Amino acid sequence: MSKILVFGHQNPDTDAFASAIGFSYLAKQKFKLNTEAVALGQPNEETKYALDFFKIDSPRVIKSAASENVDTVILTDHNEFQQSISDIKELTIWGVVDHHRIANFATTDPVFFRAEPVGSSSSIVGRMFKENQIEIPKRIAGILVSAIISDTLLFKSPTTHPSDRTIAQYLAKIAGVDLEVYGLELLKAGVNLASKSENELLSLDAKTFPLNGQNVRVAQINTVNIAEILTRQNALEKAMKSESEQNGYSDFILMITDILNSNSEILVVGENQSKAEAAFNVKLQDNRTFLKGVVSRKKQIIPQLTEAFE
Ligand code: ZN
Ligand code: ZN
């Protein structure tokens, strides 16, 4: 049977890796598929911490399916084509497991599709193991629980669903970790930012959204000290502008999120600053503003921007 590649979105976060690793294993057991979990980018510091902690080899990074001689893929933690592999339009999509909005997605053949509005794709994968009574290896439970902690910011994000905590507790037990203790260590591992260049900071967790004909880039940096990141505001703005020019983004919004107090400062450059102001009912000062209680791009940034752009 020919190989099927399983991967999360570009600029992968811990959930992109974990959901691909978890679902690849599950698909072998349940659907007897010949799967391999791969990635569309290198793991970030947080993901590296989790992979090391549970002694998992980092999945290979691939550029296109054609270069792998593969024509069938499974998408996890995303479905929008512009967030996927470069040759997605040429490929057969066997299935999708996701927790984002459904957009820019179409197939010619019937497809396995599981999307739920929960905190993490890994939460869905974890429950699929239970539903199908498939035993979860310790390392898989470990990487899945890491992704749930990461996506929900240890259950503080408004994207958190009650089922996330339930399945995370179950997975943590199998993985042999204490949720709170391991969770804080994991989140802290991801905020070691001082050594990173502006371009690296901007690509840690960035996605592009087509909004009413405009291409809006929204990046997020998690930190325990917003002020420390803002000392680099000028250099960050310069990098945001040059990335926009190179890639045709009309706007670039950077969320700097305080993971301990659950707030964000947003930095906005581009053609539609007034739309961003309307979206959040704020006035930007020096291209930025503080958004109290905002930590989720998916729930507290993108829907508001979508409305303002329409
Ligand atoms: Zn993700
Ligand atoms: Zn996710």
Side-chain angles (χ1 to χ4, degrees):
M1 195 192 339
S2 58
K3 191 157 62 171
I4 299 180
L5 297 177
V6 188
F7 48 80
H9 49 81
Q10 297 171 17
N11 292 315
D13 53 13
T14 301
D15 193 32
F17 277 92
S19 56
I21 291 168
F23 192 74
S24 173
Y25 181 90
L26 182 131
K28 277 186 191 144
Q29 314 294 316
K30 177 170 165 61
F31 303 110
K32 308 292 170 213
L33 299 178
N34 175 21
T35 55
E36 181 189 356
V38 292
L40 304 185
Q42 296 293 340
N44 63 31
E45 300 291 328
E46 179 199 271
T47 309
K48 269 190 223 154
Y49 179 89
L51 290 169
D52 286 351
F53 193 95
F54 293 105
K55 301 188 173 61
I56 299 172
D57 291 332
S58 191
R60 294 187 301 124
V61 176
I62 61 161
K63 290 274 166 263
S64 69
S67 63
E68 301 286 321
N69 287 318
V70 164
D71 60 12
T72 305
V73 295
I74 293 173
L75 314 183
T76 68
D77 200 34
H78 75 296
N79 66 82
E80 299 190 43
F81 282 7
Q82 81 280 0
Q83 295 171 5
S84 198
I85 198 163
S86 56
D87 51 353
I88 186 71
K89 285 183 181 151
E90 270 74 68
L91 305 173
T92 301
I93 300 171
W94 186 94
V96 177
V97 180
D98 194 13
H99 69 131
H100 294 91
R101 70 172 193 177
I102 314 301
N104 309 311
F105 178 86
T107 59
T108 43
D109 295 308
V111 60
F112 176 94
F113 201 101
R114 176 134 176 194
E116 294 181 28
V118 296
S120 171
S121 300
S122 292
S123 202
I124 304 170
V125 175
R127 277 187 281 115
M128 288 182 79
F129 274 95
K130 277 189 95 173
E131 289 160 10
N132 293 286
Q133 294 170 344
I134 296 167
E135 201 178 319
I136 313 184
K138 184 176 175 180
R139 66 174 203 289
I140 303 257
I143 197 71
L144 289 174
V145 73
S146 302
I148 299 171
I149 292 163
S150 166
D151 266 10
T152 65
L153 293 176
L154 205 43
F155 315 111
K156 280 199 207 147
S157 166
T159 56
T160 308
H161 185 270
S163 66
D164 295 322
R165 194 183 270 277
T166 312
I167 192 69
Q169 277 160 347
Y170 173 79
L171 294 167
K173 206 165 175 190
I174 298 169
V177 294
D178 179 279
L179 262 184
E180 299 294 323
V181 175
Y182 172 75
L184 265 187
E185 286 308 310
L186 175 74
L187 291 178
K188 279 195 204 145
V191 300
N192 182 12
L193 306 172
S195 62
K196 299 211 178 307
S197 72
E198 282 73 30
N199 291 93
E200 283 171 331
L201 290 176
L202 294 178
S203 65
L204 282 176
D205 180 8
K207 290 178 182 169
T208 308
F209 298 87
L211 298 179
N212 201 13
Q214 306 286 292
N215 250 339
V216 181
R217 183 79 162 170
V218 184
Q220 185 168 24
I221 301 173
N222 289 338
T223 179
V224 290
N225 187 350
I226 290 176
E228 190 183 297
I229 305 290
L230 284 177
T231 60
R232 301 168 70 177
Q233 181 177 349
N234 287 345
L236 282 166
E237 282 184 20
K238 212 175 143 199
M240 288 159 78
K241 282 176 194 156
S242 88
E243 280 197 21
S244 296
E245 264 166 43
Q246 281 166 27
N247 302 293
Y249 309 139
S250 57
D251 301 86
F252 200 130
I253 299 177
L254 175 63
M255 296 174 70
I256 305 165
T257 300
D258 177 343
I259 56 167
L260 297 184
N261 301 302
S262 304
N263 300 308
S264 294
E265 182 89 19
I266 57 165
L267 187 57
V268 183
V269 301
E271 300 161 18
N272 302 290
Q273 277 191 329
S274 61
K275 293 206 170 95
E277 289 181 326
F280 308 111
N281 199 16
V282 293
K283 270 262 161 272
L284 294 172
Q285 287 192 338
D286 192 20
N287 298 329
R288 62 187 163 89
T289 191
F290 183 73
L291 298 179
K292 196 172 161 48
V294 170
V295 295
S296 167
R297 172 173 50 201
K298 182 164 65 175
K299 268 211 158 143
Q300 297 168 299
I301 298 285
I302 299 306
Q304 291 75 0
L305 281 177
T306 306
E307 210 185 304
F309 273 76
E310 267 160 14

